[in-house]
Amino acid sequence: AQSVTQPDIHITVSEGASLELRCNYSYGATPYLFWYVQSPGQGLQLLLKYFSGDTLVQGIKGFEAEFKRSQSSFNLRKPSVHWSDAAEYFCAVADFNKFYFGSGTKLNVKP
Amino acid sequence: DVKVTQSSRYLVKRTGEKVFLECVQDMDHENMFWYRQDPGLGLRLIYFSYDVKMKEKGDIPEGYSVSREKKERFSLILESASTNQTSMYLCASSSGQFTGELFFGEGSRLTVL
C-alpha cells in the first residue's frame, strides 16, 4: 500500500540557515511525489512536484526537492530560510488522483 | 484566481446532530475531495468524486456521506455527529487531466460537544 513518512514532527531553524525536510515513501511503481505547504489558518498550497525526468525539481518560494529512488526519499530543501517560511509542510505521493499525505513537519524559524 | 470556498470556517455541534459541510469551486474541476486533518495524522481522504453524482470512498468513510449534485459543489454530511469527528475538514479540487495539483479550501474546523 502507498504510504508516506515524515520522520520529523517539528523542526526549528534560524533565519538564514539552510533547511532540509525529510520524506520517505512506499509505492510500487514510479511515484508521483509532491510537497505542499500549509500556512497557519490556510489550506494547502503546492510547492513542487516530481513526475519523471530530472530528479532535482525546483518549486516556488526558492524550494527544491531531490528524488532518490534507491532511498525511497523525496527530501525538501531550501538554502536560506526566511521567517515567512514558518508553516507546516506535507509530503505526498499520488496514485493517479488519490493522494496519500505524510503526517507533516512543522517548521519554526528563529529570528 | 482559482478558488475553493468552504462555507463555514468554524462550527460547533452537539452529539447526534446532522452536519453539512459545503464546498464550492469556481475552476470547473471534475475532481473534488474531502479530507480530514488531525495533528500527527496528516490528511486522510474521506470521499472523493470524479464527476457529478459520482462518489468513491476514501480511507476513512465511516460515519460520513457526500453529495455532488452540481459540478461545482461537493458536500460532506455527518449523519449523526460524534465527538470523535471533531477535526479540521479540508475540501480540495483538481482538474480531470492529472496535473498533480490539488487546490484546497481554507478548512472547516468542526467541534462536536
Side-chain angles (χ1 to χ4, degrees):
Chain A
Q2 298 85 342
S3 66
V4 176
T5 301
Q6 294 180 246
D8 304 306
I9 300 172
H10 287 100
I11 282 185
T12 298
V13 300
S14 297
E15 192 167 14
S18 63
L19 171 70
E20 183 168 27
L21 302 183
R22 295 183 290 165
C23 172
N24 292 97
Y25 67 89
S26 172
Y27 189 75
T30 300
Y32 298 136
L33 294 162
F34 309 85
W35 276 98
Y36 279 81
V37 60
Q38 185 179 35
S39 298
Q42 302 295 315
L44 280 70
Q45 179 186 19
L46 180 67
L47 277 179
L48 47 79
K49 60 187 177 184
Y50 171 79
F51 283 4
S52 64
D54 192 348
T55 56
L56 185 64
V57 294
Q58 303 296 321
I60 62 172
K61 306 184 181 186
F63 285 92
E64 66 178 28
E66 186 171 12
F67 170 58
K68 292 186 177 180
R69 185 187 298 276
S70 61
Q71 299 176 19
S72 298
S73 70
F74 189 56
N75 293 349
L76 182 71
R77 302 194 294 247
K78 188 170 184 177
S80 178
V81 169
H82 187 263
W83 63 266
S84 60
D85 294 324
E88 190 161 16
Y89 292 80
F90 292 91
C91 183
V93 62
D95 179 2
F96 195 59
N97 273 310
K98 283 192 75 173
F99 285 71
Y100 298 88
F101 288 85
S103 54
T105 298
K106 280 192 176 173
L107 173 65
N108 295 320
V109 180
K110 289 191 302 185
Chain B
D1 200 14
V2 296
K3 201 155 183 68
V4 178
T5 303
Q6 294 184 230
S7 55
S8 304
R9 291 294 303 273
Y10 301 95
L11 302 94
V12 180
K13 298 292 182 180
R14 297 207 174 272
T15 301
E17 280 193 80
K18 191 169 186 176
V19 181
F20 292 87
L21 300 179
E22 302 284 337
C23 175
V24 178
Q25 52 96 0
D26 64 0
M27 296 164 282
D28 201 35
H29 281 167
E30 286 78 7
N31 306 320
M32 296 188 75
F33 308 81
W34 275 105
Y35 286 90
R36 173 175 171 160
Q37 182 179 13
D38 298 290
L41 296 177
L43 279 72
R44 292 178 292 168
L45 182 63
I46 305 172
Y47 268 97
F48 60 104
S49 169
Y50 287 142
D51 201 351
V52 175
K53 296 191 184 296
M54 295 185 69
K55 60 186 178 184
E56 290 197 32
K57 293 180 180 179
D59 300 313
I60 53 164
E62 296 79 16
Y64 303 95
S65 62
V66 291
S67 172
R68 193 165 181 202
E69 296 295 320
K70 293 185 178 181
K71 189 176 185 180
E72 68 270 19
R73 188 179 298 269
F74 192 37
S75 302
L76 180 69
I77 304 156
L78 288 67
E79 293 287 344
S80 177
S82 63
T83 55
N84 63 12
Q85 294 179 307
T86 292
S87 187
M88 171 69 85
Y89 291 89
L90 292 171
C91 176
S93 71
S94 69
S95 76
Q97 186 174 8
F98 184 63
T99 64
E101 185 160 8
L102 291 173
F103 293 88
F104 282 86
E106 293 183 326
S108 298
R109 183 165 294 282
L110 172 66
T111 300
V112 183
L113 302 175

